[in-house]
């Protein structure tokens, strides 16, 4: 790891990355792409040491409450978080200023901060987003080697359900010829149904490959799936969007399942939900007798 002072923490859409880089080792990680200009070894985590201070300054100046998001680029619960606690510091600030919160992770370490997530969700809205890609636990340990298994993430979703915290699952990426099977998608969807997730975000059954993450992905294919790299190159060449041959069938399964279980699946509706701030104190006042 290395430390760095940064000039800003919140994007124009009120998203933030507390760290840059990751040690989860997912073989398909888009954040390795050179376009994101992470100009250091991806596993050499850049720690934004002034992130909590910058966040507090930003929230103090905001005239309207909104949802604050994190986890879109770099997981907020990498292994270093256990030692540094910067994610928790930022959640404490979000809670103290009364903002909503949407957090995305693949790690059960989020349970450490369940107390804060519950507090935020009492006042406004806290949405926990979990990425699920692979129902098979053995396969999960190959393509996502240093992170909580899918079963462990499923347990997190159930704990959030039991504590009244809404959840959204990212069903992405799906790797052609590896996990693009009906059995895999059905297993993940069954988890989503049991955990009563609010929504499922899926941009299609496939993945994206571009300079930076393509090379790493192909290297890992050679290590774990001999011959698969040649199969990818033969079918897809160097295209950016890699779509599974089973895309239509699997996408239809997803939509049918979501409709019958009252789960959001429209991407626009899911993102609207994630970005919509709710003030539960105002709602409670409206529900008081005589008002």
């Amino acid at each position: 790891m290395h430390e760095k002072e940064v000039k800003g923490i919140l994007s124009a859409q009120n998203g933030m990355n507390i760290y840059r880089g990751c040690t989860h080792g997912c073989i398909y990680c888009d954040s390795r792409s050179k376009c994101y200009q992470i100009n250091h070894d991806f596993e050499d985590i850049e720690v934004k040491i002034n992130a909590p201070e910058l966040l507090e300054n930003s929230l103090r100046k905001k005239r309207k409450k909104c949802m604050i998001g994190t986890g879109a680029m770099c997981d907020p619960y990498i292994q270093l978080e256990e030692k540094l606690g910067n994610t928790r510091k930022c959640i404490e600030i979000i809670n103290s200023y009364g903002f909503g919160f949407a957090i995305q992770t693949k790690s059960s370490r989020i349970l450490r901060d369940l107390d804060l997530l519950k507090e935020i969700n009492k006042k406004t809205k806290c949405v926990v987003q979990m990425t699920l890609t692979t129902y098979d636990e053995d396969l999960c340990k190959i393509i996502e080697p240093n992170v909580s298994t899918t079963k462990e993430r499923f347990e997190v979703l159930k704990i959030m359900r039991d504590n009244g915290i809404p959840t959204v699952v990212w069903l992405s990426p799906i790797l052609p010829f590896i996990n693009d099977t009906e059995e895999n998608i059905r297993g993940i969807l069954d988890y989503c149904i049991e955990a009563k997730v609010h929504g499922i975000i899926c941009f299609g059954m496939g993945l994206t490959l571009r300079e930076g993450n393509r090379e790493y992905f192909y290297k890992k294919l050679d290590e774990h799936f001999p011959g698969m790299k040649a199969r990818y190159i033969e079918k897809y060449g160097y295209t950016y969007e890699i779509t599974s041959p089973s895309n239509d069938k699997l996408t239809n399964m997803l939509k049918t399942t979501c409709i019958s279980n009252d789960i959001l699946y429209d991407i626009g509706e899911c993102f609207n939900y994630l970005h919509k701030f709710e003030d539960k104190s105002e709602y409670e006042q409206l529900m008081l007798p005589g008002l």
Side-chain angles (χ1 to χ4, degrees):
M1 59 163 277
H2 63 279
E3 297 179 340
K4 183 177 180 178
E5 284 202 4
V6 293
K7 296 180 179 179
I9 190 66
L10 286 183
S11 70
Q13 292 75 38
N14 296 305
M16 62 178 177
N17 287 297
I18 300 164
Y19 303 106
R20 274 172 66 83
C22 189
T23 47
H24 284 167
C26 303
I27 70 172
Y28 50 72
C29 182
D30 177 68
S31 296
R32 292 181 182 272
S33 300
K34 288 189 176 181
C35 62
Y36 298 121
Q37 299 180 337
I38 296 181
N39 299 316
H40 53 82
D41 185 80
F42 195 69
E43 284 75 23
D44 177 20
I45 307 300
E46 181 178 291
V47 179
K48 301 178 181 180
I49 56 174
N50 58 335
E53 177 187 351
L54 289 174
L55 177 63
E56 183 162 15
N57 289 339
S58 295
L59 298 189
R60 187 187 297 120
K61 296 174 183 177
K62 283 188 177 293
R63 295 182 179 180
K64 288 183 65 176
K65 300 289 176 62
C66 64
M67 297 291 289
I68 305 297
T70 191
M73 271 287 294
C74 299
D75 199 305
Y77 289 104
I78 54 176
Q79 288 83 344
L80 264 179
E81 172 59 20
E82 291 185 1
K83 172 185 175 182
L84 301 179
N86 287 343
T87 295
R88 184 172 178 88
K89 292 173 187 174
C90 289
I91 300 175
E92 287 173 339
I93 293 167
I94 291 167
N95 180 43
S96 66
Y97 280 85
F99 282 73
F101 190 43
I103 184 167
Q104 183 178 351
T105 184
K106 295 179 185 173
S107 175
S108 61
R109 292 185 185 92
I110 193 173
L111 294 176
R112 180 203 64 186
D113 299 330
L114 181 60
D115 58 331
L116 290 172
L117 304 181
K118 289 167 63 176
E119 284 187 31
I120 293 172
N121 199 52
K122 284 180 183 177
K123 294 178 288 187
T124 171
K125 183 170 69 182
C126 177
V127 186
V128 171
Q129 303 163 77
M130 273 281 171
T131 300
L132 303 182
T133 68
T134 310
Y135 182 71
D136 183 287
E137 291 289 282
D138 292 330
L139 180 59
C140 177
K141 292 172 184 176
I142 293 173
I143 69 174
E144 300 164 340
N146 305 321
V147 69
S148 302
T149 68
T150 302
K151 182 70 181 302
E152 290 169 336
R153 286 175 247 171
F154 168 55
E155 295 300 324
V156 171
L157 290 171
K158 289 194 294 182
I159 291 171
M160 297 301 164
R161 174 201 66 195
D162 294 343
N163 283 277
I165 296 173
T167 55
V168 169
V169 162
W170 287 69
L171 185 58
S172 174
I174 302 300
L175 313 181
F177 318 123
I178 296 175
N179 64 345
D180 59 338
T181 65
E182 290 188 43
E183 180 183 12
N184 182 55
I185 301 303
R186 174 51 58 197
I188 294 173
L189 292 176
D190 285 345
Y191 276 166
C192 292
I193 293 167
E194 185 173 346
K196 298 187 184 303
V197 304
H198 186 80
I200 298 176
I201 294 174
C202 179
F203 291 94
M205 303 296 170
L207 76 157
T208 57
L209 291 178
R210 49 188 163 188
E211 187 180 6
N213 79 313
R214 178 187 289 109
E215 291 80 2
Y216 186 82
F217 179 66
Y218 281 169
K219 174 186 174 183
K220 293 301 177 180
L221 287 186
D222 282 340
E223 288 181 19
H224 301 292
F225 307 95
M228 189 63 73
K229 173 183 173 181
R231 192 173 180 184
Y232 267 69
I233 293 174
E234 179 182 1
K235 181 167 181 62
Y236 300 109
Y238 287 87
T239 56
Y240 168 56
E241 293 186 3
I242 309 299
T243 303
S244 165
S246 303
N247 176 67
D248 292 346
K249 177 176 62 177
L250 298 178
T251 299
N252 185 61
M253 178 193 299
L254 166 65
K255 291 181 178 179
T256 301
T257 301
C258 288
I259 291 170
S260 60
N261 290 279
D262 198 26
I263 298 172
L264 285 183
Y265 67 91
D266 180 83
I267 293 174
E269 290 181 3
C270 287
F271 278 104
N272 286 339
Y273 176 74
L274 290 173
H275 288 104
K276 183 180 179 183
F277 177 78
E278 298 176 10
D279 189 338
K280 292 181 179 176
S281 62
E282 291 182 2
Y283 175 77
E284 290 172 359
Q285 290 176 0
L286 291 173
M287 296 300 291
L288 290 174
L291 293 182

